[in-house]
Amino acid sequence: MSSSLIFTFIFTLCLLSSCFSSSASLHNATDENVTLRPQHEIQKLKLIREHLQKINKPTVKTIQSPDGDTIDCVPSHHQPAFDHPMLQGQRPMDPPEMPKGYSQENESHEDFQLWSLTGESCPEGTIPIRRTTEQDMLRASSVRRFGRKIRRVRRDSSSNGHEHAVGYVSGSQYYGAKASINVWTPRVSSQYDFSLSQIWVIAGSFADDLNTIEAGWQVSPELYGDTSPRFFTYWTSDAYQATGCYNLLCSGFIQTNNRIAIGAAISPVSSYKGGQFDISLLIWKDPKHGHWWLHFGSGTLVGYWPVSLFTHLMEHGNMVQFGGEIVNTKPGGSHTSTQMGSGHFAGEGFGKASYFRNLEMVDWDNTLIPTANLRVLADHPNCYDIRGGVNRVWGNYFYYGGPGKNSKCP
């Protein structure tokens, strides 16, 4: 794929996947709040409470996390996924066959979230779900699209504020991807900015039928109300228009694990010149039933995206991306100081720059293979950059990230 086509892809993905963050949406939301009359406020709260009743399911146990989250233990067959018309009446599938070539890593890190450090856990037959609050929904720019990426239709600009530093493969058929992702707490300079690091499995065109599966960690003050890095998932089957959402905020993703809360804060995190922590994620297509499964760490299945959610991903992906993304709202007319990764450039290396390591793909035969022909691209390299490499310990890897606003990124 040519360099110009990749830039077109990145730009188009930006256009399609803008998320809670443009200065225009902030301005419009502010204007709306100023002009709201009391009856509109009452109607908005009514809509919020109806939505909360829909997504916050009856619980058999509640756990209070040290960071203020409430974790509800919900019977697995009552989780939000089964509200989906195509999934009603179903129950979670049995675990699939792991890809050939998969090897257990030495450390599990199953207790990698703050809430689980309390020593509490959800009973067998339930799943932990981070409870959504009125405050969560009031922060969102749109009640109707809460928990979803907002599709931008504005096409008169060379950028809508989304900036990337990614490694990618394309031009073949992809049945999954695996990587270990270094976790940090990047500074996010505005409630309407975010910073994330993730894997994308992509199929379809970039008009109206884009299919994506996404997983990684993100800092999003608007979505979560704080600046902690949080484990997240996302999906769409129509270019972020009407389908898909983050985590379990709509019907779709089916969780099978009772120890991981999607959307909950990650602990520990990496520190500059200090300890490094990463999470290992594997997304792959079960060859027997066709569902796309998510695996965490060593031996932990999180759940799956049912194949019936998708069109192009019913078969396979045609591109995989790994890397970072931020939103630049240009506060005061200059580039945001929102950080990507560790907030340091790739050239600083281990312990300072953020990394992805051991990048692998799943082929047509359900076999994990080293990533071949990995290309790297930073669309604003003076703000956030990326450098790839290969060695015997980390296989395919790259360092990436940056501080945002600086003397070369005004």
Side-chain angles (χ1 to χ4, degrees), residues 122-387:
C122 284
E124 291 293 329
T126 70
I127 64 165
I129 301 179
R130 178 184 181 269
R131 184 183 298 174
T132 303
T133 66
E134 283 187 12
Q135 289 72 27
D136 290 332
M137 296 196 67
L138 286 167
R139 282 192 308 271
S141 56
S142 166
V143 173
R144 183 178 63 85
R145 293 192 61 84
F146 171 73
R148 293 182 173 179
K149 296 186 176 184
I150 296 176
R151 183 175 189 260
R152 306 305 298 172
V153 296
R154 180 167 161 260
R155 298 177 184 273
D156 59 348
S157 170
S158 60
S159 172
N160 71 336
H162 287 244
E163 301 181 16
H164 302 78
V166 295
Y168 66 92
V169 292
S170 61
S172 188
Q173 297 179 358
Y174 305 104
Y175 295 82
K178 182 177 183 291
S180 293
I181 310 175
N182 197 199
V183 182
W184 294 79
T185 306
R187 181 179 66 250
V188 173
S189 63
S190 159
Q191 177 175 315
Y192 298 94
D193 284 6
F194 69 74
S195 182
L196 61 77
S197 297
Q198 68 172 52
I199 301 171
W200 291 260
V201 179
I202 301 164
S205 70
F206 298 99
D208 297 318
D209 64 346
L210 182 74
N211 288 202
T212 74
I213 287 170
E214 307 170 29
W217 62 263
Q218 67 181 162
V219 174
S220 176
E222 183 173 17
L223 191 56
Y224 303 107
D226 63 17
T227 56
S228 298
R230 292 170 176 271
F231 177 51
F232 83 95
T233 62
Y234 200 92
W235 68 275
T236 182
S237 62
D238 63 353
Y240 306 97
Q241 293 178 94
T243 62
C245 61
Y246 281 110
N247 309 330
L248 303 182
L249 294 175
C250 68
S251 57
F253 184 86
I254 297 175
Q255 184 164 335
T256 60
N257 186 280
N258 72 329
R259 298 187 63 86
I260 292 175
I262 304 174
I266 297 173
S267 179
V269 297
S270 303
S271 59
Y272 189 74
K273 296 184 180 179
Q276 299 300 297
F277 176 74
D278 56 40
I279 56 175
S280 179
L281 298 180
L282 165 64
I283 298 168
W284 87 105
K285 188 175 174 61
D286 171 18
K288 184 176 181 181
H289 299 287
H291 306 310
W292 290 88
W293 282 80
L294 175 63
H295 186 276
F296 173 85
S298 177
T300 304
L301 284 170
V302 181
Y304 61 95
W305 293 270
V307 67
S308 59
L309 297 175
F310 302 104
T311 53
H312 298 287
L313 281 173
M314 288 188 77
E315 301 297 330
H316 52 74
N318 54 34
M319 176 179 278
V320 174
Q321 281 195 78
F322 310 85
E325 178 184 358
I326 65 92
V327 164
N328 173 23
T329 55
K330 296 189 176 179
S334 60
H335 195 284
T336 183
S337 56
T338 288
Q339 299 173 334
M340 181 189 292
S342 68
H344 293 264
F345 286 116
E348 292 197 43
F350 185 76
K352 300 175 182 178
S354 189
Y355 62 79
F356 276 61
R357 64 178 174 88
N358 298 112
L359 308 184
E360 296 179 285
M361 313 304 297
V362 180
D363 71 4
W364 63 273
D365 193 32
N366 196 36
T367 301
L368 267 170
I369 58 175
T371 301
N373 302 316
L374 181 76
R375 302 177 184 179
V376 295
L377 172 71
D379 47 20
H380 292 77
N382 289 331
C383 309
Y384 314 99
D385 68 354
I386 183 167
R387 293 187 184 183

Side-chain angles (χ1 to χ4, degrees), residues 103-118:
S103 60
Q104 300 253 342
E105 299 203 7
N106 293 330
E107 65 280 352
S108 170
H109 291 311
E110 192 171 69
D111 294 327
F112 76 111
Q113 295 184 311
L114 280 172
W115 74 273
S116 62
L117 300 180
T118 62

